[in-house]
Amino acid sequence: MNQDFYNALKDVLTEDKVLADEPMKNHTTFRVGGAADYYTVPESKEEVRDIIRLCRQWDVPFYIIGNGSNLLVSDKGYRGVMIQIYRDMSEITVEGHTVRAQAGALLSSIAARALSAGLTGFEFAAGIPGTLGGACVMNAGAYGGEMKDVLRYVTVLTEDGAFLTLHRDELELGYRTSVIARKGYIALEAEIELKEGSKDEIKARMDELKEKRVTKQPLEYPSAGSTFKRPEGYFAGKLIEDAGLRGFRVGGAQVSEKHCGFVINRGSATAADIMALITEVADRVERQTGVRMEPEVKRLGEF
């Protein structure tokens, strides 16, 4: 650890918001991952900007995470600064048909606020295990809905260190992508436009989607959600199942028997186990079908 850099981080944040050698298994939904050299928890967009400015001045790598729901961190950890935009940047406000939220707000929390305000259009996101920032970057979607259907504006931090507000027409939202991802911007807050609806109908739809998730997805095990992107013209889970890989294991990692599109941590998995399983599944499916599946899970560190 570079003590001078560590002290400089603590000048930007309060001391309890900067940790050294922090195990990332504590901050990812896979519950695996070695230690990050530095782990920071900013409380404002200005603190995010100042941490990144400091990293660039000292030539130290950095990585942004939300609640760690789409991330596989190496067992060897991460040589740099993890910046977690999560609970300390999760404010949500509702005004009329508009919901404004910071990037660290959970999609489930935003959906709950929309429900209480009688606003419809965000039900699809109620069960997605991620934050608003990540959802904007990857245009998260489920059950026929996508962020592009409801986003109005997203405020980002550019690579030049400037705050920029982008209208939905400027976001270039596509399947699991956006201009935010392509240009390396960092999502900080967003404005969502919804419609007035019946609270009973909104809750019924959310309950229906929750039931689908509980019965069809392995929510009882640590995972990163859907492991592979949907190949054009196919469903990843069906390709995996047809390749005879339901329940296939490498160490403590397993293709879920409940839903083959999920790789789960049975409790003792390492990041290496999970990576080896993902690679083997992709290889076997390709040999059998000619279709190469691309992981949706982001990998960070040395594998």
Side-chain angles (χ1 to χ4, degrees), residues 5 9 29 34 39 41 97 104 108 114 119 130 132 136 159-160 163 171 180 186 190 224 239-240 249 267 271:
F5 177 70
L9 280 173
T29 58
Y39 166 81
V41 186
H97 294 172
S108 56
L119 297 177
L132 178 61
C136 292
E159 289 202 312
D160 297 330
F163 298 126
L171 290 169
I180 305 172
I186 295 161
L239 288 171
I240 295 166
R249 292 181 69 158

Short mmCIF file of all heavy atoms in Angstrom, two decimals, residues 5 9 29 34 39 41 97 104 108 114 119 130 132 136 159-160 163 171 180 186 190 224 239-240 249 267 271:
data_model
loop_
_atom_site.label_atom_id
_atom_site.label_comp_id
_atom_site.label_asym_id
_atom_site.label_seq_id
_atom_site.Cartn_x
_atom_site.Cartn_y
_atom_site.Cartn_z
N PHE A 5 -0.59 7.96 -0.88
CA PHE A 5 -1.82 7.95 -1.68
C PHE A 5 -3.03 7.67 -0.80
O PHE A 5 -4.08 8.29 -0.94
CB PHE A 5 -1.72 6.91 -2.80
CG PHE A 5 -2.96 6.80 -3.63
CD1 PHE A 5 -3.35 7.82 -4.48
CD2 PHE A 5 -3.76 5.66 -3.56
CE1 PHE A 5 -4.51 7.72 -5.25
CE2 PHE A 5 -4.91 5.54 -4.32
CZ PHE A 5 -5.29 6.58 -5.17
N LEU A 9 -6.37 9.96 -0.28
CA LEU A 9 -7.77 9.53 -0.41
C LEU A 9 -8.57 9.94 0.82
O LEU A 9 -9.72 10.37 0.71
CB LEU A 9 -7.84 8.01 -0.57
CG LEU A 9 -7.57 7.42 -1.95
CD1 LEU A 9 -7.52 5.90 -1.87
CD2 LEU A 9 -8.64 7.84 -2.95
N THR A 29 -22.16 -9.94 -5.42
CA THR A 29 -23.24 -10.90 -5.19
C THR A 29 -22.80 -12.34 -5.43
O THR A 29 -23.48 -13.27 -5.00
CB THR A 29 -24.47 -10.58 -6.06
OG1 THR A 29 -24.08 -10.59 -7.45
CG2 THR A 29 -25.04 -9.22 -5.71
N GLY A 34 -10.80 -11.50 -4.25
CA GLY A 34 -9.73 -11.10 -3.33
C GLY A 34 -9.81 -9.64 -2.96
O GLY A 34 -10.79 -8.94 -3.26
N TYR A 39 -10.50 0.68 -1.13
CA TYR A 39 -11.95 0.59 -1.33
C TYR A 39 -12.55 1.89 -0.80
O TYR A 39 -12.29 2.27 0.35
CB TYR A 39 -12.48 -0.62 -0.59
CG TYR A 39 -13.98 -0.67 -0.41
CD1 TYR A 39 -14.81 -1.11 -1.43
CD2 TYR A 39 -14.56 -0.28 0.80
CE1 TYR A 39 -16.19 -1.16 -1.26
CE2 TYR A 39 -15.93 -0.34 0.98
CZ TYR A 39 -16.74 -0.77 -0.05
OH TYR A 39 -18.09 -0.83 0.13
N VAL A 41 -16.02 4.75 -0.58
CA VAL A 41 -17.47 4.88 -0.62
C VAL A 41 -17.83 6.37 -0.66
O VAL A 41 -18.02 7.00 0.39
CB VAL A 41 -18.13 4.21 0.61
CG1 VAL A 41 -19.65 4.24 0.48
CG2 VAL A 41 -17.63 2.79 0.78
N HIS A 97 -44.93 12.82 -12.16
CA HIS A 97 -44.66 11.55 -12.84
C HIS A 97 -43.16 11.27 -12.94
O HIS A 97 -42.75 10.30 -13.57
CB HIS A 97 -45.24 11.56 -14.25
CG HIS A 97 -46.74 11.61 -14.27
ND1 HIS A 97 -47.45 11.79 -15.43
CD2 HIS A 97 -47.66 11.49 -13.28
CE1 HIS A 97 -48.75 11.79 -15.15
NE2 HIS A 97 -48.89 11.61 -13.85
N GLY A 104 -26.58 5.13 -6.95
CA GLY A 104 -26.47 4.01 -6.03
C GLY A 104 -27.79 3.45 -5.54
O GLY A 104 -27.81 2.46 -4.81
N SER A 108 -34.88 -2.03 -7.07
CA SER A 108 -36.01 -2.49 -6.27
C SER A 108 -36.55 -1.36 -5.39
O SER A 108 -37.77 -1.24 -5.17
CB SER A 108 -35.60 -3.68 -5.40
OG SER A 108 -34.49 -3.36 -4.59
N ALA A 114 -41.99 4.09 -6.67
CA ALA A 114 -42.95 4.31 -7.77
C ALA A 114 -44.31 3.72 -7.40
O ALA A 114 -45.35 4.34 -7.64
CB ALA A 114 -42.42 3.68 -9.06
N LEU A 119 -47.22 5.16 -9.59
CA LEU A 119 -46.63 5.37 -10.91
C LEU A 119 -46.28 4.03 -11.55
O LEU A 119 -45.64 3.18 -10.93
CB LEU A 119 -45.37 6.24 -10.80
CG LEU A 119 -45.59 7.66 -10.28
CD1 LEU A 119 -44.27 8.39 -10.15
CD2 LEU A 119 -46.53 8.45 -11.21
N GLY A 130 -29.71 -4.88 -9.01
CA GLY A 130 -28.65 -3.94 -9.33
C GLY A 130 -29.04 -2.53 -8.97
O GLY A 130 -30.14 -2.25 -8.48
N LEU A 132 -29.21 1.77 -10.01
CA LEU A 132 -29.62 2.59 -11.14
C LEU A 132 -28.44 2.92 -12.06
O LEU A 132 -28.58 2.91 -13.28
CB LEU A 132 -30.26 3.89 -10.63
CG LEU A 132 -30.72 4.89 -11.68
CD1 LEU A 132 -31.77 4.29 -12.60
CD2 LEU A 132 -31.25 6.16 -11.00
N CYS A 136 -28.35 2.05 -16.05
CA CYS A 136 -28.25 3.06 -17.12
C CYS A 136 -27.11 2.72 -18.08
O CYS A 136 -27.25 2.86 -19.29
CB CYS A 136 -28.01 4.44 -16.52
SG CYS A 136 -29.40 5.11 -15.58
N GLU A 159 -14.79 11.62 -19.03
CA GLU A 159 -13.37 11.31 -18.81
C GLU A 159 -12.56 12.57 -18.54
O GLU A 159 -11.46 12.50 -18.00
CB GLU A 159 -12.82 10.54 -20.00
CG GLU A 159 -13.35 9.11 -20.09
CD GLU A 159 -12.44 8.21 -20.90
OE1 GLU A 159 -12.05 8.62 -22.00
OE2 GLU A 159 -12.13 7.10 -20.41
N ASP A 160 -13.10 13.74 -18.93
CA ASP A 160 -12.42 15.01 -18.67
C ASP A 160 -12.72 15.54 -17.28
O ASP A 160 -12.24 16.62 -16.92
CB ASP A 160 -12.85 16.06 -19.71
CG ASP A 160 -12.44 15.66 -21.13
OD1 ASP A 160 -11.41 14.97 -21.26
OD2 ASP A 160 -13.14 16.05 -22.08
N PHE A 163 -19.19 17.26 -15.38
CA PHE A 163 -20.54 16.71 -15.24
C PHE A 163 -21.33 17.05 -16.50
O PHE A 163 -21.31 18.18 -16.97
CB PHE A 163 -21.24 17.30 -14.01
CG PHE A 163 -20.56 16.99 -12.71
CD1 PHE A 163 -20.20 18.01 -11.83
CD2 PHE A 163 -20.26 15.68 -12.37
CE1 PHE A 163 -19.57 17.72 -10.64
CE2 PHE A 163 -19.63 15.38 -11.17
CZ PHE A 163 -19.28 16.40 -10.30
N LEU A 171 -28.42 8.99 -25.36
CA LEU A 171 -27.85 7.88 -24.60
C LEU A 171 -27.49 6.66 -25.45
O LEU A 171 -26.75 5.79 -25.00
CB LEU A 171 -28.83 7.45 -23.48
CG LEU A 171 -28.99 8.46 -22.34
CD1 LEU A 171 -30.16 8.08 -21.44
CD2 LEU A 171 -27.70 8.58 -21.53
N ILE A 180 -22.87 5.72 -22.53
CA ILE A 180 -22.15 5.80 -21.25
C ILE A 180 -21.06 4.73 -21.20
O ILE A 180 -19.91 5.01 -20.85
CB ILE A 180 -23.12 5.63 -20.07
CG1 ILE A 180 -24.27 6.64 -20.16
CG2 ILE A 180 -22.39 5.79 -18.74
CD1 ILE A 180 -25.38 6.41 -19.14
N ILE A 186 -19.28 7.85 -16.31
CA ILE A 186 -19.74 7.26 -15.05
C ILE A 186 -21.11 7.85 -14.73
O ILE A 186 -21.26 9.07 -14.62
CB ILE A 186 -18.74 7.56 -13.91
CG1 ILE A 186 -17.41 6.87 -14.20
CG2 ILE A 186 -19.30 7.10 -12.56
CD1 ILE A 186 -16.25 7.43 -13.43
N ALA A 190 -30.05 9.97 -12.30
CA ALA A 190 -30.92 9.87 -13.47
C ALA A 190 -32.33 10.33 -13.13
O ALA A 190 -32.74 10.37 -11.97
CB ALA A 190 -30.96 8.43 -14.00
N ALA A 224 -24.37 -13.88 -10.13
CA ALA A 224 -24.29 -12.53 -10.69
C ALA A 224 -25.45 -12.30 -11.65
O ALA A 224 -25.37 -11.48 -12.56
CB ALA A 224 -22.96 -12.33 -11.40
N LEU A 239 -29.49 -23.15 -24.78
CA LEU A 239 -28.27 -23.68 -25.41
C LEU A 239 -27.46 -24.50 -24.40
O LEU A 239 -26.93 -25.57 -24.72
CB LEU A 239 -27.42 -22.53 -25.95
CG LEU A 239 -27.93 -21.81 -27.19
CD1 LEU A 239 -27.08 -20.57 -27.47
CD2 LEU A 239 -27.91 -22.73 -28.41
N ILE A 240 -27.37 -23.99 -23.17
CA ILE A 240 -26.59 -24.66 -22.13
C ILE A 240 -27.26 -25.98 -21.74
O ILE A 240 -26.61 -27.02 -21.60
CB ILE A 240 -26.42 -23.73 -20.91
CG1 ILE A 240 -25.58 -22.51 -21.31
CG2 ILE A 240 -25.77 -24.47 -19.75
CD1 ILE A 240 -25.61 -21.37 -20.31
N ARG A 249 -20.53 -28.86 -12.81
CA ARG A 249 -19.78 -28.18 -11.75
C ARG A 249 -18.29 -28.11 -12.05
O ARG A 249 -17.72 -28.99 -12.69
CB ARG A 249 -19.96 -28.90 -10.41
CG ARG A 249 -21.34 -28.83 -9.84
CD ARG A 249 -21.47 -29.54 -8.50
NE ARG A 249 -20.74 -28.84 -7.44
CZ ARG A 249 -21.02 -28.98 -6.14
NH1 ARG A 249 -21.98 -29.80 -5.76
NH2 ARG A 249 -20.32 -28.32 -5.23
N GLY A 267 -21.25 -22.25 -2.42
CA GLY A 267 -20.83 -21.90 -1.07
C GLY A 267 -19.33 -21.91 -0.88
O GLY A 267 -18.79 -21.22 -0.02
N ALA A 271 -13.26 -17.50 -7.44
CA ALA A 271 -13.43 -16.82 -8.72
C ALA A 271 -12.86 -17.66 -9.86
O ALA A 271 -13.40 -17.68 -10.97
CB ALA A 271 -12.76 -15.45 -8.68
#
